[in-house]
Amino acid sequence: MQPLASPEVFLHIKVVMGMVISLSLARLLTGIAGIIQHPAKGKVYAVHLGWALSMFLFIIHIWWWEYRVQAIPVLHFGVYLFLVCFCSLFFLLCALLFPASLDEYGGYEEYFISRRRWFFGTLALTYAIDIADTAIKGQDHIVSLGWEYPTRNIVYIVLCIIAAWTANRRFHAIFVSLNLLYQVSFIFRLYDVMG
């Protein structure tokens, strides 16, 4: 069978990716709405909310930039499967941030700290897979990002591994705060305009 690289193929893939990403965003927004609707149900934890905001930015950033998938000269099922699995990691991250129930926990702080290995392990994996996602878009795309992109991902992977192992609240507060500042800076400096 001849590989196809028509605009319809890219549109199909973007729709499927968009569905998975939109489920992630829906899970995140439902969790935030649940906190607003039932504030007494689970004690709010600023670090947890910081990571929820971070995931919101990460999701809309990925959704904004995945149009670059059209730069892939030939699409194979393996690439399609990879992209869907990559997008699925975002849903998993959002589900880990907002469980179906907090009944077993004294609030979001206790829940977040108890599930930090899952959350930060998955986040580290997401940053590692993001490197492969960028690579499949072509050498020109990788070069256009310069040294900062791979350095950023490696630093995030290391910090996520540390965050997975430490329950130190101060470390977690500093990590999420610096992450949000850097994330906003990175998006607006490198990805502000589609081109």
Side-chain angles (χ1 to χ4, degrees):
M1 186 176 245
Q2 272 305 82
L4 298 173
S6 71
E8 292 81 18
V9 171
F10 297 118
L11 178 61
H12 173 73
I13 289 173
K14 286 191 275 189
V15 166
V16 172
M17 290 170 60
M19 288 173 21
V20 176
I21 291 289
S22 65
L23 288 172
S24 307
L25 195 55
R27 181 68 181 242
L28 195 64
L29 294 175
T30 301
I32 296 293
I35 289 173
I36 294 167
Q37 293 167 346
H38 307 285
K41 205 169 186 181
K43 286 191 277 182
V44 175
Y45 179 42
V47 170
H48 170 263
L49 289 177
W51 282 111
L53 176 57
S54 178
M55 287 312 307
F56 176 78
L57 290 172
F58 204 172
I59 289 167
I60 61 171
H61 171 217
I62 289 293
W63 210 343
W64 164 261
W65 201 250
E66 279 301 325
Y67 86 94
R68 284 272 189 169
V69 78
Q70 64 195 12
I72 301 169
V74 177
L75 289 168
H76 298 281
F77 182 78
V79 172
Y80 170 72
L81 179 63
F82 169 83
L83 292 170
V84 171
C85 289
F86 179 49
C87 291
S88 297
L89 286 174
F90 292 96
F91 180 81
L92 180 58
L93 285 163
C94 292
L96 287 168
L97 280 174
F98 291 102
S101 170
L102 278 177
D103 293 343
E104 301 170 45
Y105 305 95
Y108 281 102
E109 180 176 4
E110 185 182 329
Y111 169 76
F112 183 77
I113 294 300
S114 75
R115 292 293 172 253
R116 70 186 184 279
R117 290 188 177 133
W118 278 100
F119 178 76
F120 288 110
T122 305
L123 188 56
L125 178 62
T126 302
Y127 277 105
I129 291 177
D130 184 53
I131 295 170
D133 177 67
T134 300
I136 65 172
K137 293 179 180 95
Q139 184 65 28
D140 291 342
H141 180 56
I142 294 171
V143 170
S144 74
L145 297 174
W147 63 268
E148 183 177 1
Y149 171 76
T151 304
R152 174 199 81 141
N153 282 29
I154 291 166
V155 168
Y156 267 110
I157 291 166
V158 170
L159 289 172
C160 285
I161 291 168
I162 294 168
W165 290 107
T166 183
N168 183 298
R169 292 351 187 234
R170 188 175 186 168
F171 173 85
H172 284 279
I174 292 169
F175 184 20
V176 75
S177 299
L178 293 177
N179 161 64
L180 286 168
L181 291 171
Y182 179 75
Q183 192 174 9
V184 169
S185 166
F186 184 78
I187 290 169
F188 282 101
R189 284 183 299 106
L190 273 69
Y191 291 99
D192 188 35
V193 177
M194 278 195 208

